[in-house]
Amino acid sequence: MTTVTDGGRKPPGTPLPALRPLTEWPRLASAIPRDAEVERRVAEILGQLTLEEKVGQMIQPELAELTCEDVREYRIGSALNGAGIWPGGKRHASVADWVDTVDRFWTAAEETWRDRPFRIPFMWATDAVHGHNNVHGATIFPHNIGLGAAGDPDLVRRIGEATAREVAATGMDWIFAPTVTTPRDRRWGRYYEGYSEDPVVVHAYGRAMVEGLQGDVAALRTDGKVLATLKHWIADGGTENGSDRGIARCSEDVLRNIHAQGFLAGIEAGAQCVMGSFSSWENPANYDHTPGRAQPYNHKVHGSRYLITDVLKNALGFDGVVISDWDAHAEVAGCSPGDAGYAINAGLDVLMIAGREDWQSVYRTTIRQVRDGVVPTARVDDAVTRILRVKMRAGLWDKPRPRDRALTAPGTGIVGCAEHRALAREAARASLVLLKNSPGLLPLPRTARVLVTGSAADDLSKQCGGWTLSWQGDDVDRADLPDGTTLADAVRLVVGAERCVVDPALEHADPAGFDVALVALGEDAYAEMRGTIKPWRSIGYADLKLSYARDLEVLRRLDAANLPVVSVLFTGRPLYCTEEINLSDAFVVAWLPGPYAQGLTDVLFAAEPGAPSYDFQGRLPSSWPRTRDSAAVNRIPPHLPDYRVPAEETAPEGRCTPLFEVGYGLSLRDEAPATGPLPLDEPPAPPPAPAVDGPLRVLDAAGTPYRLRVGGHNTWSRRDVPLTGPMRCLVLHSDPVPAPSGAGHAPDGSTRKSGDGTGLRLRFWGHPAFFYAESPTGEPADLRGHLEAGAHVRFLARVIEPPSSALYLACHDDYPAQPGVDLAPLLRQAPPQQWTVVSVPLAELDAAGMDLRHVDVPFMLYTEGTALLEIADIGWRVP
């Protein structure tokens, strides 16, 4: 039987073009060059705009915080829909709903210019990081790390073309993709958004995706293309400890030769937009462009005139739009949610701002700052020139209203069409990496009796990962992906339902009744900081969650039953899983392949007679860890002969030598290495629990030793919660309240008799939200001694409006990445309007999987529902 790769477009392992070392920032020639007529028209319009109209073009609010009247009043130039925000709040909004929404805002903008001698078209932007992933029914492609494994720039180009068509079919003009980061630490929660740790891959893919999304000068002006955005400028994949929004301290040579490569190729391909990174670059070159202020510059890239203006715009010659990330200006020292002046002066052209009060404040503040000379008029003119230039290059003056465009007509059927889903299936099978194979096991016969087990056996969320219909993607079900196919579904389609039993936890099936077990392991879906692994934690798969550890137990039981095992791992990053590999007869890394698992069974099972047979094409885009702490071990770039490993990384040698190097992957024709079981990295025994000599204070009459904060939906930049006044944000409102009489504990644990303690009233508004007390240093404490002493997490609560859904207590700040204990049943039974004691044994939290050896957040409340309650007198105490 002949084995082929997809379409014969390229044989597996075809080398990508090599890179050359760069000693300075290169001047780039864009595939979409300056056009004299475009520049003339832009200058003509700019000269007629008022200051207010210019600033309106620079503001980009979010759908949930913007009205058509706002567009008319503030001359808003663009809008976006954030992840999990849909027209009318309808999770399953139709394509027609989306087109109607975009069209209404476009029409409002047109009315704005009715009495002027010119018009400026409105522009709509969306996240489309693995397909048009916020729209119900759209095609979902594998996440970038899987595409990096495929090693096929042409495949990426075709995915860009398909994505552009689906986005255009909803009337939108602009997407925030591709991500061209070079991820260098596996703990980073956005690792899967990068194509590879190898800048060669990122360079090739950055170019290919931009070409697919935008096309050439003429194609970009057509209805079937959209504006691409390279993100996130720069080095967000090179932060210390893989911290999201963290600090990179690498040299400028490393910045240029590793972290910039995807941007360089994408700009050459004609990318019209670049998005800044939340992260920081601490380097002497990253100067404070306005020294002497009360708050010195904090090295955030969004405030870096060096990186945005001196390098990106001037040295590289990028003449498109530089846009901020979501509310990211607020993290720059000297700025605030309502003041972006310092970041604008650094070079930002468009400000993505979520909250209604915040974007209106930035609008007013920027106008005032220009009039006061704080923000130069020339800086605003540069920003608006770039905005108008990009809109003109995209042909927005010539395109009809969104509902009248070629691809938005009812019945076109482009979104989620069969052709695009076939492409997604092809991408899924091309991304599979075979790490281990016992001779003769794969491909499996179509007549096999198959036991499908493991936590990811029948789980679309684990297959798709974050940024799938919602931000985290952890709430996705079959109704969200109507044509989705889990691995269990796909196996049934191959062998028949009568020969396939699905038992994810291996609770019912007897292994003796099967020919093979297909074990699906998988990380739960996550996005951004919610997927980041803390620096003190293991990157071992079974170490991360109790549910993952149960997958390892399933493998041990199958090994004891002597049943052949093929393991399939769904993951957004390489993880230590050596024992899982040893317990498997074949081990496949599927990354995050999306909802079309037939792409997996195309390769795992023998083909039907007369059908093509597919081999494993994928090769590791990132090195595979040998130990539980090998989080930042990366390939030495071959194009840099004098490369020095940055302090944030680890040289790939000694115990940190990769278990499998970049480029590793077996085909069905390869003979598996006869090396025996791989050596295990045994975890060290933990030290004895430190003794405790009293209660742990969190919030009492004396205040708090912790930093009180809130985060959640649309509150990605965490807000501090004061004890002296109110705090207002979209997800939660807080107000200080007095504790009840007789409550409150002194630092020594004694009870205060007066009612002068401090409490908080918390109103949760029905969005994912978490309130927590965080170590002011960010460092964890070993609090196992409290567990051994039998302590409880204890606080007083007064329930005014009971929780509408689960409300969790936890000892960390990353729920639902880690578990919690649901307090909703208890709070619903509490006497209304009366203070009551809530006391949860630490043993219960420990059993839920909380790491009490490393506690940086001793108290957190989380809910996705509504609730109104007051809390006071929080601490860990022995009853």
Side-chain angles (χ1 to χ4, degrees):
M1 183 181 295
T2 302
T3 302
V4 300
T5 57
D6 284 295
R9 290 182 174 84
K10 61 173 284 296
T14 300
L16 298 173
L19 300 177
R20 59 182 180 86
L22 300 172
T23 57
E24 58 185 23
W25 294 100
R27 187 73 176 182
L28 302 174
S30 172
I32 300 180
R34 292 282 182 99
D35 180 283
E37 177 59 18
V38 167
E39 298 303 307
R40 184 195 67 76
R41 291 173 62 195
V42 166
E44 182 180 30
I45 293 173
L46 181 71
Q48 301 177 73
L49 291 175
T50 65
L51 173 59
E52 290 79 3
E53 291 167 342
K54 292 175 183 178
V55 175
Q57 288 295 301
M58 297 172 65
I59 302 296
Q60 186 181 86
E62 201 268 336
L63 169 61
E65 302 290 319
L66 182 69
T67 67
C68 290
E69 182 55 39
D70 293 332
V71 173
R72 288 185 285 263
E73 180 179 352
Y74 293 93
R75 306 296 201 269
I76 299 297
S78 64
L80 81 150
N81 55 276
I85 299 295
W86 312 282
K90 293 165 53 180
R91 185 180 181 91
H92 294 170
S94 68
V95 170
D97 291 331
W98 283 102
V99 173
D100 178 67
T101 298
V102 176
D103 189 82
R104 283 189 289 106
F105 283 95
W106 185 95
T107 301
E110 291 295 302
E111 293 168 354
T112 295
W113 310 107
R114 180 177 297 163
D115 298 326
R116 303 300 299 277
F118 60 87
R119 56 183 281 266
I120 301 177
F122 195 69
M123 189 159 55
W124 196 280
T126 189
D127 282 307
V129 299
H130 64 140
H132 200 6
N133 49 258
N134 207 42
V135 172
H136 182 248
T139 306
I140 302 297
F141 292 96
H143 269 297
N144 285 355
I145 191 170
L147 300 182
D152 188 348
D154 178 68
L155 174 65
V156 170
R157 186 178 295 106
R158 290 185 287 133
I159 289 173
E161 292 169 352
T163 301
R165 285 173 59 79
E166 296 206 8
V167 172
T170 55
M172 302 180 191
D173 315 287
W174 180 7
I175 72 166
F176 299 141
T179 301
V180 290
T181 183
T182 309
R184 307 287 284 186
D185 195 304
R186 301 176 185 98
R187 292 169 291 194
W188 188 32
R190 304 189 81 146
Y191 196 94
Y192 62 79
E193 295 187 47
Y195 295 114
S196 173
E197 73 178 41
D198 185 352
V200 170
V201 176
V202 182
H203 185 275
Y205 277 26
R207 179 186 301 277
M209 184 58 84
V210 170
E211 290 172 347
L213 292 168
Q214 292 190 170
D216 58 18
V217 175
L220 180 57
R221 301 176 64 85
T222 67
D223 283 0
K225 294 295 182 181
V226 293
L227 291 162
T229 305
L230 302 170
K231 64 183 191 182
H232 304 86
W233 177 263
I234 185 174
D236 56 346
T239 60
E240 183 179 29
N241 296 322
S243 175
D244 196 45
R245 310 185 182 196
I247 301 172
R249 296 187 176 90
C250 58
S251 70
E252 193 163 355
D253 276 341
V254 168
L255 200 73
R256 186 166 41 233
N257 284 285
I258 292 182
H259 296 290
Q261 287 297 332
F263 295 94
L264 303 182
I267 291 171
E268 285 185 327
Q272 293 298 291
C273 308
V274 170
M275 183 183 294
S277 169
F278 274 107
S279 60
S280 305
W281 183 52
E282 286 194 356
N283 188 282
N286 195 13
Y287 60 88
D288 186 343
H289 65 68
T290 308
R293 300 171 307 136
Q295 288 183 283
Y297 171 51
N298 58 353
H299 305 284
K300 287 285 183 178
V301 173
H302 274 78
S304 175
R305 181 178 289 177
Y306 180 71
L307 291 175
I308 297 174
T309 298
D310 299 351
V311 173
L312 179 60
K313 293 183 174 181
N314 295 340
L316 300 181
F318 175 68
D319 67 356
V321 164
V322 179
I323 183 171
S324 73
D325 207 334
W326 187 287
D327 289 337
H329 70 278
E331 297 193 6
V332 177
C335 293
S336 68
D339 179 355
Y342 188 92
I344 292 171
N345 282 342
L348 293 182
D349 303 314
V350 175
L351 297 155
M352 186 196 307
I353 310 173
R356 181 179 180 81
E357 293 181 3
D358 292 340
W359 69 254
Q360 291 181 353
S361 175
V362 168
Y363 173 86
R364 293 189 298 268
T365 301
T366 303
I367 291 170
R368 184 175 67 251
Q369 289 172 334
V370 173
R371 288 175 174 155
D372 292 345
V374 175
V375 174
T377 299
R379 173 73 272 276
V380 172
D381 286 350
D382 171 62
V384 180
T385 295
R386 290 167 178 271
I387 294 165
L388 297 179
R389 176 187 296 140
V390 167
K391 288 185 175 185
M392 209 163 285
R393 286 173 173 172
L396 297 189
W397 269 264
D398 303 316
K399 291 182 179 180
R401 62 189 302 171
R403 73 182 185 190
D404 292 337
R405 296 176 188 175
L407 301 186
T408 60
T412 54
I414 290 169
V415 174
C417 66
E419 177 186 355
H420 293 168
R421 295 190 181 189
L423 178 60
R425 178 172 175 171
E426 174 189 340
R429 64 178 171 249
S431 67
L432 301 178
V433 179
L434 181 62
L435 295 185
K436 177 183 179 180
N437 187 28
S438 297
L441 180 58
L442 293 176
L444 298 171
R446 304 176 75 86
T447 57
R449 295 169 299 165
V450 184
L451 169 62
V452 184
T453 185
S455 64
D458 204 23
D459 192 321
L460 287 171
S461 176
K462 284 177 179 279
Q463 286 181 201
C464 294
W467 302 107
T468 305
L469 204 63
S470 64
W471 173 34
Q472 292 296 309
D474 59 335
D475 57 351
V476 166
D477 58 24
R478 291 180 181 273
D480 295 322
L481 299 165
D483 290 324
T485 305
T486 67
L487 183 58
D489 295 332
V491 173
R492 289 190 194 99
L493 290 172
V494 172
V495 304
E498 69 281 1
R499 287 194 295 271
C500 175
V501 170
V502 180
D503 187 0
L506 197 54
E507 296 173 309
H508 311 293
D510 181 358
F514 299 91
D515 299 315
V516 65
L518 198 56
V519 182
L521 322 171
E523 288 189 282
D524 294 333
Y526 54 80
E528 296 191 83
M529 72 290 291
R530 301 281 282 279
T532 297
I533 300 171
K534 295 294 179 92
W536 51 84
R537 301 202 68 212
S538 162
I539 62 165
Y541 173 73
D543 298 338
L544 290 173
K545 290 189 180 182
L546 290 178
S547 59
Y548 302 173
R550 287 193 283 270
D551 282 338
L552 179 55
E553 287 302 318
V554 165
L555 284 169
R556 289 169 177 163
R557 291 169 57 194
L558 293 171
D559 180 66
N562 203 29
L563 180 66
V565 168
V566 177
S567 289
V568 178
L569 176 64
F570 298 116
T571 181
R573 52 194 156 202
L575 293 170
Y576 172 81
C577 51
T578 304
E579 185 175 357
E580 290 88 341
I581 295 173
N582 284 341
L583 291 169
S584 305
D585 298 282
F587 195 92
V588 178
V589 184
W591 311 107
L592 300 171
Y596 315 114
Q598 298 100 316
L600 281 63
T601 53
D602 284 345
V603 186
L604 293 171
F605 285 84
E608 292 184 281
S613 176
Y614 297 101
D615 202 348
F616 286 89
Q617 177 179 326
R619 303 294 180 263
L620 287 180
S622 300
S623 51
W624 203 268
R626 180 179 298 272
T627 61
R628 300 170 192 271
D629 59 351
S630 294
V633 181
N634 297 288
R635 181 173 185 246
I636 300 297
H639 71 293
L640 300 177
D642 299 322
Y643 177 76
R644 294 184 179 180
V645 178
E648 294 87 355
E649 299 180 16
T650 309
E653 57 191 30
R655 70 185 302 273
C656 291
T657 303
L659 186 65
F660 302 108
E661 296 183 346
V662 170
Y664 181 85
L666 301 172
S667 74
L668 295 173
R669 300 182 302 274
D670 294 328
E671 291 188 14
T675 58
L678 297 168
L680 299 178
D681 177 42
E682 299 294 344
V692 296
D693 56 4
L696 178 76
R697 298 176 51 236
V698 178
L699 175 64
D700 57 25
T704 178
Y706 294 93
R707 183 181 183 185
L708 304 180
R709 311 192 77 190
V710 64
H713 176 76
N714 282 18
T715 314
W716 300 0
S717 300
R718 311 292 175 87
R719 298 287 185 92
D720 287 322
V721 175
L723 294 176
T724 55
M727 188 284 304
R728 299 290 184 265
C729 67
L730 176 69
V731 300
L732 187 143
H733 289 180
S734 74
D735 294 278
V737 295
S741 177
H745 287 73
D748 63 2
S750 61
T751 301
R752 295 182 182 272
K753 299 196 186 251
S754 65
D756 62 352
T758 300
L760 286 169
R761 171 177 288 200
L762 303 176
R763 176 177 284 281
F764 295 90
W765 287 103
H767 303 283
F770 42 101
F771 164 82
Y772 61 103
E774 179 183 60
S775 164
T777 65
E779 294 298 317
D782 187 344
L783 301 181
R784 290 174 297 150
H786 293 270
L787 174 66
E788 294 185 359
H792 289 212
V793 178
R794 180 191 179 281
F795 64 100
L796 298 180
R798 189 165 79 95
V799 179
I800 303 170
E801 296 176 13
S804 64
S805 61
L807 189 148
Y808 295 93
L809 169 71
C811 300
H812 48 68
D813 70 342
D814 55 353
Y815 183 86
Q818 294 296 328
V821 173
D822 186 10
L823 301 181
L826 185 151
L827 294 175
R828 290 176 186 138
Q829 296 173 8
Q833 309 287 334
Q834 296 182 28
W835 287 97
T836 187
V837 176
V838 178
S839 188
V840 178
L842 270 183
E844 189 173 340
L845 294 167
D846 179 63
M850 259 156 269
D851 179 10
L852 298 181
R853 183 181 169 191
H854 303 97
V855 179
D856 58 336
V857 171
F859 183 84
M860 184 186 75
L861 295 177
Y862 176 95
T863 185
E864 296 186 10
T866 60
L868 178 60
L869 62 152
E870 294 176 357
I871 58 174
D873 195 23
I874 306 170
W876 290 19
R877 300 185 183 90
V878 177

